[in-house]
Amino acid sequence: MTTATAASVLAHFGLDPAPGGADLQVVSPIDGKPLAALRCHAPDEVAQAIGRAREAFGAWRDVPAPRRAELVRLLGDELREQKDWLARLVCLESGKILSEALGEVQEMIDICDFAVGLSRQLYGLTMASERAGHRMMETWHPLGVVAVVSAFNFPVAVWSWNFALAIVCGDAVVWKPSEKTPLSALACQSVFERAARRFGACPAGLSQVVVGGRDVGQALVDDHRVALVSATGSTRMGREVGPRVAARFGRCLLELGGNNAVIVAPSADLALALRGIAFAAAGTCGQRCTTTRRLIVHAKVKAALVDSLKKAYAGLRIGDPLDDGVLVGPLIDRQAFDAMQRALREAAGEGGQVSGGERVLQDSHPGGYYVRPAIVEMPRQTDTVRRETFAPILYVLEYDDFEQALRLHNDVPQGLASAIFTNDLREAEAFLSARGSDCGIANVNIGTSGAEIGGAFGGEKETGGGRESGSDAWKSYMRRSTNTINYSGELPLAQGVRFDI
């Protein structure tokens, strides 16, 4: 990374790298050098932002959904124009390679397109009434203020999944990005404001960004005016957020940890499996919530597959994510590196055979934490394997019987993404059945990473149960009303109850 590159990207989005009163330093994981310093919002400023959002909601909910979608369509157009610039900022701030950063911005564009079509499909049902001359139906209404709390690893896409749907559904949004990647959020707000100016009748406060740490997040979570808190992060974070929102009877949408596994059956196309596993396990330097962390492979093909993976890993180019040909960028910071090394030591102590995992490029990038993705052959599924470590560690487990593979697969607290590589139809269908994968995402002959926006994204168990993005995830951002209309001249009561006066 060059200082000139960072300066030009920030200037393009009108971001001041050194505002007055700054108390949050934003550094690039590429080299550990400062990108900017920002002023954090105080809790009372968060409360004011929520107040503005509440006022905006009051006006926005009355705008017809297809008209609301026009604002989202314009946002998608602006994102197309700014795709390269925003991707470079994502790359600088999160450390993911440029190709993945471009893909993340494309996700934003895709969800805008999805939301525009959705605006004419916010359907309710019509139900048959037991009473003559009556009709029953359900209608969906805007919910209120939505707080989005996002993580560093997808600094813009996860916000867009929430934002595009919330805006079309008639809500206002207050976004708290990770304190590690706030610049990307401020750039998104700048892009939105361009779209809002073109739209022409956008209420002030419809979209806001608040910057800060735990106190800012807590202010959002605890405010009764926030109807929905959509939070992406660790299971630990979810354990704190969920009960606090529930205590005030608010809604929560949690997308938390994943300990995703791939089963490779003896009938699998090993070349296909190799490609799917390598990207899902090593891509984004192992810092996706859908990263493959466990490989459950049949004894007949284990040696061949693991040998091929080790050769593929040896050829992965590690380096500055802005450079052409680089496939693995840095970990986000020293804390992530320390957690990875701790997990590798624990796995080795439990009998694991560790290949890779060491720090590299210290001489050329002393401030960046670059690592060689690790493969750890484990004798059994231990507590270390069951715990998610947000780093490129692939634990390899052997199985002999398909039922054993399913038990290993499901024997973790998390339940986000899963996959099986097999050419056996019975195995594939069993994996997708009620007795198969217990995850929110279950794939056949593709890896665990790279979900499309058309499907609902989220998982079960300690992953939190929330769903974002496609399918009917929009229902989280609206409230349902059941309606009964009597068009007869009588007033019969349901269930045959009589109350004559």
Side-chain angles (χ1 to χ4, degrees):
M1 183 192 77
T2 66
T3 304
T5 299
S8 64
V9 172
L10 295 178
H12 176 80
F13 289 108
L15 301 179
D16 183 356
D23 50 7
L24 174 65
Q25 187 174 73
V26 184
V27 301
S28 174
I30 295 174
D31 55 12
K33 294 180 179 179
L35 288 171
L38 300 176
R39 188 184 72 80
C40 293
H41 289 84
D44 65 311
E45 292 176 303
V46 177
Q48 292 168 19
I50 295 169
R52 291 190 294 270
R54 183 69 190 173
E55 288 186 19
F57 166 70
W60 193 242
R61 65 185 173 184
D62 290 333
V63 177
R67 175 61 182 158
R68 298 193 295 250
E70 175 63 12
L71 176 57
V72 176
R73 186 190 70 79
L74 292 170
L75 174 61
D77 286 350
E78 292 292 339
L79 287 168
R80 287 179 173 88
E81 290 293 321
Q82 303 300 324
K83 182 177 179 178
D84 290 345
W85 283 101
L86 187 54
R88 285 190 173 274
L89 181 54
V90 167
C91 187
L92 289 167
E93 201 173 28
S94 73
K96 62 176 58 179
I97 63 172
L98 188 56
S99 174
E100 290 190 56
L102 287 165
E104 180 168 355
V105 181
Q106 185 60 48
E107 278 191 64
M108 302 174 77
I109 296 167
D110 292 345
I111 195 65
C112 287
D113 289 348
F114 179 90
V116 170
L118 177 67
S119 70
R120 297 178 185 271
Q121 302 177 71
L122 301 175
Y123 300 138
L125 299 175
T126 297
M127 290 78 75
S129 174
E130 67 186 62
R131 291 170 284 187
H134 287 62
R135 179 166 65 89
M136 291 181 63
M137 67 178 187
E138 65 180 21
T139 52
W140 291 87
H141 302 292
L143 181 63
V145 177
V146 175
V148 177
V149 180
S150 61
F152 77 86
N153 59 326
F154 274 81
V156 295
V158 171
W159 165 77
S160 72
W161 296 350
N162 287 273
F163 183 79
L165 297 192
I167 293 299
V168 160
C169 289
D171 303 325
V173 178
V174 181
W175 179 16
K176 182 212 168 294
S178 166
E179 55 268 39
K180 297 176 183 179
T181 54
L183 298 173
S184 297
L186 294 172
C188 288
Q189 179 66 16
S190 173
V191 174
F192 168 77
E193 288 170 359
R194 297 182 194 190
R197 286 192 293 271
R198 291 175 58 192
F199 183 74
C202 184
L206 189 65
S207 171
Q208 298 172 82
V209 176
V210 290
V211 174
R214 182 187 181 91
D215 60 335
V216 170
Q218 188 169 306
L220 283 173
V221 166
D222 290 345
D223 198 304
H224 71 277
R225 296 171 296 174
V226 175
L228 170 67
V229 176
S230 176
T232 301
S234 67
T235 298
R236 178 194 58 77
M237 180 270 286
R239 289 189 194 282
E240 296 185 31
V241 169
R244 295 184 79 105
V245 176
R248 60 175 181 81
F249 297 100
R251 286 195 200 178
C252 231
L253 194 166
L254 297 176
E255 201 282 285
L256 308 174
N259 196 346
N260 316 296
V262 170
I263 296 174
V264 179
S267 66
D269 180 333
L270 294 187
L272 192 70
L274 173 66
R275 290 165 53 204
I277 295 163
F279 168 67
T284 327
C285 199
Q287 297 172 116
R288 288 183 179 228
C289 47
T290 55
T291 290
T292 298
R293 308 201 182 280
R294 296 176 297 138
L295 174 60
I296 303 168
V297 57
H298 195 277
K300 288 183 179 179
V301 295
K302 177 189 172 186
L305 180 58
V306 172
D307 182 61
S308 296
L309 276 169
K310 289 179 178 178
K311 290 177 180 176
Y313 272 34
L316 294 176
R317 185 178 168 193
I318 304 166
D320 187 325
L322 286 165
D323 291 347
D324 291 339
V326 168
L327 295 177
V328 180
L331 289 167
I332 189 66
D333 55 22
R334 172 64 183 267
Q335 184 179 0
F337 173 75
D338 289 345
M340 179 181 182
Q341 299 309 304
R342 185 164 55 250
L344 291 175
R345 289 193 298 270
E346 291 174 359
E350 295 167 340
Q353 300 178 26
V354 179
S355 173
E358 71 276 10
R359 188 179 178 189
V360 297
L361 306 180
Q362 297 99 312
D363 293 338
S364 58
H365 294 75
Y369 288 89
Y370 295 83
V371 293
R372 194 169 302 285
I375 296 173
V376 186
E377 298 173 69
M378 296 296 294
R380 63 193 181 282
Q381 187 153 263
T382 65
D383 288 344
T384 301
V385 178
R386 290 187 183 94
R387 183 181 68 242
E388 180 189 36
T389 299
F390 221 57
I393 302 174
L394 180 64
Y395 298 108
V396 180
L397 301 162
E398 181 180 303
Y399 80 93
D400 295 300
D401 173 75
F402 183 66
E403 295 301 322
Q404 176 195 11
L406 285 180
R407 287 194 298 272
L408 283 170
H409 178 279
N410 292 342
D411 186 27
V412 294
Q414 311 85 356
L416 179 53
S418 60
I420 185 171
F421 283 87
T422 181
N423 284 321
D424 185 317
L425 178 63
R426 290 188 178 92
E427 287 182 338
E429 290 293 339
F431 183 75
L432 300 179
S433 74
R435 70 179 182 88
S437 168
D438 62 1
C439 295
I441 299 169
N443 298 330
V444 176
N445 291 332
I446 63 170
T448 57
S449 286
E452 299 180 32
I453 59 90
F457 184 91
E460 303 302 324
K461 302 189 292 188
E462 289 188 2
T463 301
R467 293 297 187 275
E468 299 169 311
S469 193
S471 185
D472 66 348
W474 61 269
K475 293 179 179 179
S476 293
Y477 307 89
M478 304 196 84
R479 61 178 180 86
R480 178 178 2 211
S481 174
T482 299
N483 317 126
T484 303
I485 301 98
N486 178 6
Y487 58 91
S488 74
E490 306 295 326
L491 193 67
L493 301 178
Q495 295 87 46
V497 173
R498 298 185 65 85
F499 193 84
D500 299 326
I501 57 172

